[in-house]
Amino acid sequence: MPGHFITFEGGEGAGKSTQIARLRAFLESLGKSVLVTREPGGSPGAEKIRAVLLSGQAKDLGPRGEAMLFAAARADHVDATIKPALDRGDWVLCDRYADSTRVYQGEAGVDPAYLKLLETAAVAGVRPELTILIDIPAETGLRRVATRSQGDESGGPDRFEGEELDVHERRRQLFLDLAREEAYRFSVIDGSQDPDAVEAAIRKAVTESFADELQHEGAA
Ligand code: TYD
């Protein structure tokens, strides 16, 4: 495909959206066409499923049913948004993707073999060339989310934020395990640094991964 696909993963409060915006600005300054998107959501159909999932309305389905909804949302997102953008030659930056299902629904007890089947069906061959994992201790992330949601009209954490600290820490370890298992596509960034240092580390990872396209431009 002519475009490039980069996903961002990490726990709550890792700073993904800030860093995605910064990477977008960097790539655009190099004249690249960039599409920023997120999961669950990123297409009209998937945004509807997002509302159901994050409100907690789907909780009664159990983790396996929720996993199916995340997969259904992903399938629509791939078909309606990601694949067309990659076909146009865009750089697609996606806030969460299939690794989030492996980690969140995996942690919730869904059989990995079942998750793999769902993933294969949902992504339809569209897999990230690079995954940026922004790693922070669960406690740091939750503190950031708590500060953020004070001014939030929706009030309080969403369905997946409002879990116990040990759940968040287990997810962190699962993300790190994944990064070790699929090291060829992962770059693990220490998200407890200040935002400028995180931005520089991400820029370095991206310019190294896409040396052919960005070689002479990433030094700044
Ligand atoms: P969001 O508000 O987008 O959170 P964040 O800023 O942390 O990305 O909510 C997405 C939530 O859904 C988040 O808690 C992670 C969870 N999630 C899953 O459980 N499985 C998935 O496959 C995806 C994409 C997200």
Side-chain angles (χ1 to χ4, degrees):
M1 263 178 267
H4 293 293
F5 188 24
I6 304 175
T7 58
F8 285 72
E9 299 283 357
E12 317 297 326
K16 288 181 281 98
S17 17
T18 306
Q19 294 300 333
I20 289 171
R22 291 182 181 207
L23 181 62
R24 169 194 218 148
F26 171 64
L27 291 170
E28 285 179 347
S29 76
L30 303 178
K32 310 296 179 194
S33 173
V34 180
L35 178 97
V36 169
T37 186
R38 64 150 182 207
E39 291 211 343
S43 61
E47 287 291 329
K48 290 180 186 153
I49 301 177
R50 176 188 176 88
V52 172
L53 279 165
L54 296 196
S55 67
Q57 287 176 84
K59 201 173 174 181
D60 291 346
L61 295 179
R64 198 168 73 108
E66 285 184 319
M68 294 185 97
L69 287 183
F70 279 110
R74 181 160 304 127
D76 190 61
H77 185 210
V78 167
D79 289 350
T81 303
I82 298 176
K83 198 165 175 307
L86 293 173
D87 286 340
R88 286 196 300 271
D90 287 358
W91 289 69
V92 176
L93 311 183
C94 188
D95 188 341
R96 299 193 182 281
Y97 194 58
D99 297 317
S100 278
T101 301
R102 294 193 202 176
V103 166
Y104 280 72
Q105 281 62 56
E107 192 283 329
V110 184
D111 177 359
Y114 180 85
L115 291 177
K116 197 167 180 190
L117 283 173
L118 285 178
E119 176 176 316
T120 304
V123 307
V126 177
R127 296 187 181 274
E129 295 160 271
L130 172 66
T131 299
I132 304 280
L133 172 58
I134 306 185
D135 175 55
I136 47 162
E139 210 175 339
T140 312
L142 289 180
R143 217 178 306 121
R144 288 185 190 165
V145 170
T147 317
R148 189 170 68 194
S149 57
Q150 274 167 9
D152 182 347
E153 279 174 25
S154 65
D158 71 36
R159 155 90 178 88
F160 296 90
E161 284 170 352
E163 314 260 14
E164 302 295 333
L165 184 62
D166 60 335
V167 173
H168 289 273
E169 195 53 47
R170 275 203 299 279
R171 289 178 189 147
R172 178 193 188 196
Q173 294 308 324
L174 288 172
F175 271 126
L176 290 171
D177 290 347
L178 254 182
R180 268 187 294 270
E181 283 158 23
E182 304 197 2
Y184 63 91
R185 71 175 166 97
F186 267 93
S187 177
V188 182
I189 307 288
D190 174 6
S192 56
Q193 312 169 85
D194 71 76
D196 290 347
V198 176
E199 178 185 357
I202 291 175
R203 198 182 282 194
K204 184 163 178 281
V206 170
T207 46
E208 280 172 8
S209 290
F210 299 96
D212 291 347
E213 289 85 351
L214 305 174
Q215 205 168 22
H216 304 293
E217 300 161 300

